[in-house]
Amino acid sequence: MRNISNIEFHAGSKEERLPDFASDFPYIASHADFIGRFVPWHWHKAVELFYMQSGTLEYYTPKGKKVFPTGSGGLVNSNVLHMTKPQAEGTIQLLHIFDPSFIAGEQGCRIEQRYITPVIAHSQLEIIALYPDRPEQTSLLNTIRESFNLSENDFGYEIKLRASLSDIWLRLLTISSPLLREGGDYDRINDKIKLMMIYIHEHYAEKISIKEIAAAAFSSERECFRAFHDCLHMTPVEYIKSYRLQMACHLLAKSRESITFISRACGLGSSSYFGKTFREHAGCTPAEYRRKWQDNDI
């Protein structure tokens, strides 16, 4: 099971890059120990099936917030924008992250058409939430928890894992069937916000104007502000600052560059401004952050 340390993005689409995600086995198991850190806004084609081992985690999507305490779990749908934030230290999350093809099989096959596509193509279905105080969901949560006990060293591990995830998927499909029957309109604003985010990811080290961000999605400045407000619940300027600080955290933990260099490389200006802004963001100075996290696999 892989420990998650930071979010990385594909050079082209800028969706999250999933290390160790092989084309012949599009699956990874992750152990996320948040230790007070949050996971910023991102998306990925793979679905995210999770179980809360301890603590409480907040999931944010364009539709709002869901809170997951110890013993709860759920599934984040394919290509859904989301971010997570722990309510306290000691929050541990177990995750199965897999491409839908892992259980669907060959593209266009009957299994994909009948059981996979209705879920991943539903624009209104962002997260399927499961809670232990709901009797009809307790058994499924137990199955999800037990699925993390499968060992890669066991003979037939890959087949056992796919069988377990297929069983879980079918039961999730049954739970979400009322919402699937409702249907929903395609939400174009999600495509626009992703294009704007991609532009910021590519130009965060430079001066960026709202006009430039809007143009990346063929939108007006007014539409740009509305997209960030409706999807990410923040302004474009707040997102730029947040992303720059996220990149600064990564460089502090993974490089030996000076703090002055990192400040300028991330578009955060002078060392004094960087120090003040970073302390507000992380609750410590850049130097303290580096001492705590450099070369740590967290």
Side-chain angles (χ1 to χ4, degrees), residues 110-131:
R110 187 180 301 179
I111 292 175
E112 180 188 64
Q113 293 180 40
R114 293 188 64 178
Y115 305 106
I116 308 300
T117 300
V119 174
I120 65 174
H122 198 289
S123 62
Q124 303 303 312
L125 186 60
E126 295 182 335
I127 295 182
I128 301 173
L130 305 170
Y131 296 102

Side-chain angles (χ1 to χ4, degrees), residues 211-232:
K211 183 178 181 180
E212 291 168 332
I213 297 171
F218 310 100
S219 299
S220 67
E221 293 182 42
R222 182 178 179 182
E223 289 175 318
C224 174
F225 277 104
R226 186 170 67 245
F228 274 87
H229 177 271
D230 292 349
C231 290
L232 306 189

Side-chain angles (χ1 to χ4, degrees), residues 229-247:
H229 177 271
D230 292 349
C231 290
L232 306 189
H233 320 296
M234 61 175 65
T235 68
V237 172
E238 288 171 335
Y239 181 78
I240 293 169
K241 180 179 178 181
S242 173
Y243 188 77
R244 285 170 171 166
L245 287 165
Q246 175 196 336
M247 292 297 100

Side-chain angles (χ1 to χ4, degrees), residues 12-59:
S13 66
K14 294 298 177 182
E15 67 178 85
E16 183 189 352
R17 186 175 72 83
L18 301 171
D20 305 324
F21 210 65
S23 59
D24 64 341
F25 194 66
Y27 164 87
I28 54 175
S30 293
H31 175 282
D33 188 342
F34 288 86
I35 321 178
R37 295 165 53 136
F38 73 99
V39 177
W41 287 100
H42 64 287
W43 71 93
H44 38 73
K45 180 186 175 186
V47 296
E48 185 174 304
L49 177 67
F50 65 92
Y51 179 82
M52 294 304 304
Q53 182 171 297
S54 64
T56 299
L57 193 64
E58 299 173 356
Y59 260 91

